[in-house]
Amino acid sequence: MAMNMQRSLWLFARWLATAVITALFIATVTIYQAKGNFSSTHKAVFNTVMIFLTLLLSLNFIESFKELAHALRNRIAAMASTPNQKHMAQSLDSLLSVWRLLRSSPPKLLQLFCIAWAAQVALALTNLTFTVDDGSNYNDTYLNRGEVSVPDLSCYHRQDGTRKCTKDSVPIQTLAHAYGEMNLAAEWRTYDELDEVLQSKHDYRYYWRQTPNRRQFAYRFNEYNPTDNQSVYPYFTNRIITVESPGCSIFDNITKNDKVPQEFTYSDGSSTHSVNIPPAFLGREGTTYIYSGFHDPSKADSPDVVCGPRCVIMLAYKNPSGITNEKEAFYQCPVNISNVQNSDPHQPAHLVPDSVARVAAASIALQGRWAGSPDDPLPKDEGKKNFRQFQFYATGNPWEIHSKTADEVGETFAKFALGSIASMATFNPRILIQGNVPHLGHKLDVNQPWFAILLAGIAGAHAAVCGFTVFWVSRDEGGGGEGSGGGGGSGGGGYAMGDHAAPGSQGNEYVDNESQEDLVGDGATTTGGHAGHGEYTDESQLQPVRHSSIV
């Protein structure tokens, strides 16, 4: 009884080890899934831990089932239907021997035992239910503090060999306009609130709020790993700059000077203004954009032109149309560019200067052209140069404004200005500052259903076989006490093995060497000449010894 109790506790300890290791499997996978993207060092740690747990579980599983087979070898043999199966049942110490027994078409109960044993194959399959994928883009990064690469926003840098800021207004204004045009090809998405921009996990060029009377555009700044030369995996910061142009005024009461046809006077009934548009920038069906200031937009100071340190009042002239039958009209729109939100005031590289913002606000009308006065046609003094500028867009061009409301015209100004800022941030040279450095990481991908099924199957199969083993051994022990005299038979549910020879004879007695402890024990399993009540006796598996060796 003591021996079987000890064996039962040992089998339970083995199963408990399987349960603990299985729990460690699940905990490790859960922790690394929660990490999201992790470093190569963490990947190596994960692989090491999983290999160790797999080996530990395999060794525990194999040794446990060997012990189960040893404890049940006679019971398993009793279920066998042929002498060959009885022989194989006595040596179930490996998967190969179990496979051979299963191929011999044993009874169904024995087949179930073999299948349960083969559950250890699931250990190998478990590692096929998860993979560690290497990162390839901005969704596969993790962060460290360090030096990051960000655009130099101090000016519109020349796109030549120098890549430097310049005081020459012509290349600055030309770049500002060209960058705005690029917005047509950029990828964007809509938003209702700026929190949606901050939470976005996509590298859109810009974001567009299309709510009527709240139309706005936003650009989110990125930080890059200095080694990411292709800008493939940025860190999305919470720094945002927005552009909007609300409250556009319409002036549809227009008169022209008969002597100077390009001189227009326009009024909305409460205020009257005039502007002279060169004929080269006029045409039916098209739109003329106008920067009406005298000074370079970066230095604009007239209250008729500026509406704030980062705000410029812009004009759009809708030329007469014979297609839509729309009347000509002037639109006056304040184009306002915000400061960079959530920027570090102690980090100048986060900021877009006011002068740059004003150039971007006016960029839709800029082409770098200036004019002198009749007295000084080529002034050297920048303050004497007239920077009033125009751009004409023919009908069909995306920037043309026919059939648009005043709200939509303002939206067109804002979209162009935002595009100028966004493209400048993309193409300007980069500088290094302290920030969050993105690194391509690794991510754990788990086939959850199969992972859970296999681990549950491993623990369940082990528990089931342990339970059957304890039940069978206990039942056999209980039946062995009814054996008849001299250990010659087995009563109740017990079974006997071997021939019992009378003391002093020279006959042979068959003894199972692997369970000699049972021969001298409490009689649960005895050797003798008879098997009581039709129990199985297999003499083919017993070894002959001299009678004198039995005490």
Side-chain angles (χ1 to χ4, degrees):
M1 170 70 77
M3 181 61 69
N4 285 327
M5 178 59 70
Q6 182 180 3
R7 175 174 287 167
S8 297
L9 291 175
W10 182 245
L11 292 176
F12 175 74
R14 285 286 192 184
W15 177 84
L16 188 61
T18 294
V20 170
I21 298 170
T22 300
L24 290 175
F25 253 102
I26 296 172
T28 303
V29 168
T30 301
I31 290 171
Y32 273 83
Q33 268 198 305
K35 281 180 176 291
N37 298 306
F38 46 86
S39 67
S40 297
T41 301
H42 282 96
K43 176 183 177 181
V45 171
F46 173 79
N47 288 335
T48 301
V49 170
M50 296 306 287
I51 290 172
F52 174 76
L53 291 177
T54 301
L55 290 175
L56 197 62
L57 187 57
S58 298
L59 291 174
N60 180 70
F61 213 70
I62 291 171
E63 291 302 315
S64 178
F65 269 73
K66 281 185 179 180
E67 293 171 8
L68 292 173
H70 179 79
L72 294 175
R73 64 193 183 283
N74 293 325
R75 169 63 68 172
I76 295 171
M79 290 188 292
S81 58
T82 67
N84 187 39
Q85 291 175 1
K86 293 178 175 59
H87 174 72
M88 288 188 288
Q90 291 293 327
S91 58
L92 293 178
D93 57 355
S94 68
L95 278 175
L96 184 59
S97 59
V98 173
W99 171 246
R100 287 171 179 167
L101 179 59
L102 187 60
R103 288 183 60 191
S104 67
S105 301
K108 289 185 178 180
L109 191 57
L110 189 52
Q111 288 181 22
L112 290 176
F113 178 84
C114 293
I115 293 172
W117 177 291
Q120 55 192 289
V121 175
L123 290 170
L125 299 178
T126 302
N127 288 330
L128 299 179
T129 62
F130 58 84
T131 57
V132 179
D133 299 328
D134 295 333
S136 60
N137 58 37
Y138 50 81
N139 287 319
D140 305 323
T141 59
Y142 65 96
L143 303 175
N144 285 328
R145 290 295 294 177
E147 282 194 332
V148 295
S149 173
V150 298
D152 182 353
L153 303 172
S154 60
C155 71
Y156 284 90
H157 285 257
R158 296 177 67 102
Q159 295 301 309
D160 54 17
T162 64
R163 304 274 290 170
K164 294 180 179 179
C165 290
T166 177
K167 294 182 179 180
D168 188 351
S169 58
V170 174
I172 292 175
Q173 295 177 14
T174 302
L175 277 175
H177 182 82
Y179 284 164
E181 294 271 10
M182 290 181 181
N183 225 17
L184 292 176
E187 188 178 10
W188 55 274
R189 67 158 292 178
T190 61
Y191 70 97
D192 291 321
E193 302 297 336
L194 284 176
D195 282 346
E196 298 175 45
V197 178
L198 295 176
Q199 295 168 8
S200 172
K201 298 301 180 183
H202 296 277
D203 192 19
Y204 295 110
R205 174 67 65 85
Y206 67 93
Y207 296 80
W208 184 353
R209 185 168 67 193
Q210 297 177 328
T211 308
N213 302 318
R214 294 184 63 214
R215 299 177 190 272
Q216 186 186 67
F217 293 85
Y219 174 76
R220 178 177 60 182
F221 292 93
N222 297 334
E223 293 177 351
Y224 293 88
N225 189 314
T227 63
D228 181 15
N229 296 322
Q230 302 300 318
S231 302
V232 174
Y233 49 98
Y235 162 62
F236 301 133
T237 74
N238 64 347
R239 301 195 302 275
I240 294 176
I241 192 169
T242 62
V243 184
E244 54 191 345
S245 182
C248 289
S249 301
I250 304 176
F251 297 83
D252 53 5
N253 186 3
I254 300 172
T255 58
K256 299 178 183 179
N257 189 324
D258 294 336
K259 295 181 179 180
V260 186
Q262 67 269 27
E263 187 175 302
F264 295 82
T265 300
Y266 55 95
S267 172
D268 62 355
S270 60
S271 61
T272 302
H273 308 269
S274 62
V275 63
N276 190 309
I277 305 176
F281 298 101
L282 294 172
R284 290 187 64 82
E285 319 296 345
T287 298
T288 305
Y289 289 102
I290 307 165
Y291 168 66
S292 60
F294 182 85
H295 296 296
D296 182 305
S298 64
K299 302 179 179 67
D301 55 4
S302 170
D304 293 335
V305 177
V306 297
C307 43
R310 304 168 70 87
C311 182
V312 177
I313 298 174
M314 297 294 293
L315 293 173
Y317 172 55
K318 181 171 65 175
N319 288 258
S321 172
I323 299 175
T324 61
N325 295 319
E326 292 182 65
K327 292 176 59 179
E328 59 184 328
F330 279 89
Y331 294 83
Q332 187 181 77
C333 300
V335 184
N336 186 48
I337 298 179
S338 74
N339 286 301
V340 178
Q341 302 176 33
N342 305 314
S343 62
D344 182 352
H346 303 294
Q347 180 52 268
H350 287 180
L351 309 178
V352 175
D354 292 349
S355 58
V356 174
R358 288 195 297 271
V359 172
S363 60
I364 196 169
L366 301 182
Q367 27 83 6
R369 184 178 181 178
W370 54 267
S373 64
D375 298 334
D376 188 4
L378 297 173
K380 294 182 179 180
D381 184 356
E382 285 286 319
K384 294 183 179 181
K385 295 178 179 178
N386 185 348
F387 280 94
R388 183 176 293 113
Q389 295 175 64
F390 310 87
Q391 285 282 4
F392 177 78
Y393 287 95
T395 183
N397 190 288
W399 301 112
E400 211 270 316
I401 64 172
H402 278 80
S403 302
K404 290 186 177 181
T405 65
D407 195 27
E408 292 171 333
V409 172
E411 182 180 62
T412 303
F413 276 113
K415 181 178 180 179
F416 199 101
L418 191 280
S420 186
I421 292 284
S423 296
M424 179 189 71
T426 301
F427 295 107
N428 266 12
R430 296 186 178 278
I431 57 176
L432 298 179
I433 63 171
Q434 287 295 309
N436 293 307
V437 187
H439 301 270
L440 283 178
H442 312 275
K443 182 182 292 185
L444 182 62
D445 183 22
V446 183
N447 188 326
Q448 290 287 0
W450 282 111
F451 180 74
I453 289 171
L454 287 174
L455 287 182
I458 290 170
H462 195 169
V465 176
C466 283
F468 280 123
T469 301
V470 172
F471 170 74
W472 279 340
V473 170
S474 299
R475 190 177 70 169
D476 292 341
E477 182 182 78
E482 299 178 13
S484 53
S490 65
Y495 56 91
M497 303 181 66
D499 293 337
H500 178 70
S505 71
Q506 299 300 314
N508 295 335
E509 179 177 10
Y510 287 85
V511 182
D512 181 355
N513 290 335
E514 290 186 347
S515 49
Q516 288 186 21
E517 71 273 11
D518 292 336
L519 302 180
V520 194
D522 55 11
T525 304
T526 62
T527 60
H530 307 284
H533 301 286
E535 293 292 340
Y536 161 69
T537 302
D538 183 5
E539 298 183 0
S540 66
Q541 305 302 318
L542 305 179
Q543 301 178 10
V545 297
R546 294 293 182 182
H547 174 75
S548 58
S549 65
I550 301 298
V551 179

